Amino acid sequence: MFTIVSGFMSLCIFANYYFELDESIRKNSLVVKLIAWTLVFALVFGIPWLVYRLILKRNYTRRSRFLYLFLIAPLLFAIKISLDIHFQFSGDDGWNNYWNNIVYWPLLMLITGCLLLITWKLSGAERPFYGLTARGVIWKPYLLMLLIMLPLIALASTQKDFLAVYPKLQAIESIFTDERITWWHKLLFELSYGSDFFTIELFFRGFLVLAFIKCAGKDAILPMACFYCSIHFGKPIAECISSYFGGLILGVIVYNTRSIYGGLLVHLGIAWIMELGGYFGNSV
């Protein structure tokens, strides 16, 4: 089962990076992006469930709750990834872009959270809300995981493809090199960027695992990891591949703890360490 699904995801990763599918989608209008991403997510999320049905004879689709959650999941994240929110904060294009980034991630967190709250209410509203509880969480293992990741990120910080992406602020080139930018501008950017990881953990580990285990138990983990990998299309290929295995690990964590906070600590910690690696790597 794992081998078949992993082989499928390998093909998906190859197809995306060879044909640059993610770039093609992002260049289109909101409606086209919404439809295209919904189809992509439905494919990568649906194939593992289909393999469960064909190989293991586990027919989860007979349950109306499962069908409702399955059909809504790709659309919800397609909305999140397709929205192009833009406000006019400044006459300077660089600073206008900067402040739009500051608003963008928290606003998407709010929108996605509201959509998930509605879904949670309509599907039974079991408490707590998609893993928002710290009860019984032991933090030491998560801190150890971050410690293990440090040398790997340090090594990645010497690679050109990594430094071309991190830190994220350098995407706004005119701001990144602007002498007026201060430490608090960078801190505010990182806090805003960090809010997106709460959205990711709430959706993938909170929703795609904890909502689906009511129907499928631990079988919910593998489809979630495939879906999670697909949102990394367009990032450095090593990061995309590792996200698949990272998604599996985080899925197992939330399955056993019923809390997203341990995974959030690991995910957010790695993200901010990667940001620091990007700052240091680009300064030498």
Side-chain angles (χ1 to χ4, degrees), residues 95 98 102 169 178-191 279:
W95 283 102
Y98 169 83
I102 298 302
L169 182 58
D178 194 324
E179 293 181 355
R180 293 173 295 172
I181 194 167
T182 64
W183 65 267
W184 71 264
H185 286 108
K186 295 178 181 179
L187 177 61
L188 186 59
F189 182 89
E190 294 302 332
L191 291 174
Y279 279 113

Side-chain angles (χ1 to χ4, degrees), residues 22-246:
D22 63 296
E23 283 296 322
S24 299
I25 294 174
R26 290 189 177 98
K27 292 176 181 177
N28 285 286
S29 66
L30 173 61
V31 174
V32 173
K33 285 192 293 185
L34 183 60
I35 294 172
W37 281 124
T38 300
L39 292 175
V40 169
F41 296 151
L43 176 67
V44 296
F45 189 50
I47 290 297
W49 293 111
L50 180 61
V51 174
Y52 281 139
R53 176 70 178 91
L54 297 177
I55 305 298
L56 301 181
K57 309 302 181 184
R58 297 172 183 171
N59 185 16
Y60 297 117
T61 57
R62 68 181 183 275
R63 303 179 183 181
S64 57
R65 173 191 170 94
F66 175 87
L67 280 175
Y68 164 68
L69 294 174
F70 174 79
L71 292 173
I72 202 71
L75 176 61
L76 286 182
F77 205 81
I79 292 172
K80 189 263 184 191
I81 203 172
S82 300
L83 286 177
D84 186 14
I85 301 167
H86 187 82
F87 300 100
Q88 190 65 35
F89 290 107
S90 170
D92 184 296
D93 288 341
W95 283 102
N96 192 58
N97 196 2
Y98 169 83
W99 288 111
N100 269 282
N101 274 274
I102 298 302
V103 170
Y104 177 75
W105 287 302
L107 185 55
L108 285 184
M109 178 179 67
L110 179 62
I111 293 171
T112 306
C114 288
L115 292 174
L116 288 176
L117 183 61
I118 294 169
T119 303
W120 178 68
K121 289 286 188 181
L122 293 176
S123 62
E126 301 91 348
R127 297 184 181 278
F129 172 55
Y130 294 152
L132 293 186
T133 177
R135 181 183 300 176
V137 177
I138 301 173
W139 300 103
K140 187 176 180 179
Y142 305 115
L143 296 173
L144 181 60
M145 291 174 67
L146 285 177
L147 188 62
I148 293 172
M149 289 300 299
L150 276 174
L152 300 177
I153 297 174
L155 178 62
S157 300
T158 64
Q159 306 302 308
K160 289 183 178 180
D161 62 340
F162 180 94
L163 295 176
V165 176
Y166 299 99
K168 292 290 187 179
L169 182 58
Q170 70 177 328
I172 316 174
E173 186 176 359
S174 61
I175 294 298
F176 193 61
T177 57
D178 194 324
E179 293 181 355
R180 293 173 295 172
I181 194 167
T182 64
W183 65 267
W184 71 264
H185 286 108
K186 295 178 181 179
L187 177 61
L188 186 59
F189 182 89
E190 294 302 332
L191 291 174
S192 175
Y193 174 54
S195 71
D196 194 48
F197 291 89
F198 177 81
T199 309
I200 296 297
E201 288 303 313
L202 182 63
F203 183 86
F204 285 93
R205 262 61 72 178
F207 175 50
L208 292 190
V209 175
L210 295 180
F212 280 81
I213 61 175
K214 300 292 183 180
C215 303
K218 66 179 184 301
D219 284 350
I221 296 172
L222 189 55
M224 176 278 294
C226 295
F227 196 156
Y228 181 59
C229 179
S230 71
I231 72 167
H232 291 78
F233 289 168
K235 294 189 176 181
I237 190 166
E239 182 180 348
C240 180
I241 294 170
S242 65
S243 70
Y244 175 62
F245 299 100

